[in-house]
Amino acid sequence: MRILGIDPGLAIVGFGFVDKVGNKLTPVQYGCIQTEAHTPEAERLLHVYEGMVQLIDKYKPDAVAVEKLFFSRNVTTALPVAQARGVVILAAVQAGLSIAEYTPMMVKQAVVGYGKAEKKQVQEMVKLLLKLSAVPKPDDVADALAVAVCHAHSVSLNSKLNEVLRK
């Protein structure tokens, strides 16, 4: 199974493709889609959408996992991020892909084992779990890979639960 993990944003959309075979996770490709700060918002959203369409067409994921939007203070920045998240989901749905959504706490729990882990702990675990030589940069890329790892663990757990329930 190939999973596309997404950390949505308007300035930077982190993405990470991870293959899951049995219990083994292998990074396929990761990086980010960046938009220019002084470009009109509509053009930035189009750039994010087109970038996602190209990535999906090239790497052909089986599932997409997106981090849920979380904001505590700044609603002004949350709105453009929510719009970028929407075009990412649109690109995936148009490609016929299933979408899974995870809160930051769920991602931390799945990757580190502690829902209130520090960002640095999550990044180091992503590096270890995927056997990377360094923590991916910018942070959005490591976060996207963490979302993909979270989904890989969730898929395993859900399939085991379904097996038990069928018996």
Side-chain angles (χ1 to χ4, degrees), residues 8-11 13 40-49 52 66 69 75-91:
L10 185 60
V13 175
E41 197 170 284
E43 288 180 32
R44 294 174 85 181
L45 291 169
L46 178 62
H47 182 72
V48 168
Y49 172 78
M52 286 308 309
V66 182
L69 186 57
V75 176
T76 309
T77 57
L79 293 174
V81 172
Q83 290 176 316
R85 188 175 178 281
V87 299
V88 164
I89 291 171
L90 173 63

Side-chain angles (χ1 to χ4, degrees), residues 30-31 123 126-127 130 132 134-143 145:
Y30 51 90
Q123 293 171 343
V126 165
K127 178 184 156 194
L130 297 177
L132 302 172
V135 171
K137 294 291 179 194
D139 291 352
D140 311 78
V141 179
D143 292 348
L145 286 167

Side-chain angles (χ1 to χ4, degrees), residues 102-114:
Y102 300 96
T103 65
M105 187 176 274
M106 292 164 78
V107 173
K108 291 173 181 180
Q109 180 69 41
V111 175
V112 180
Y114 177 58

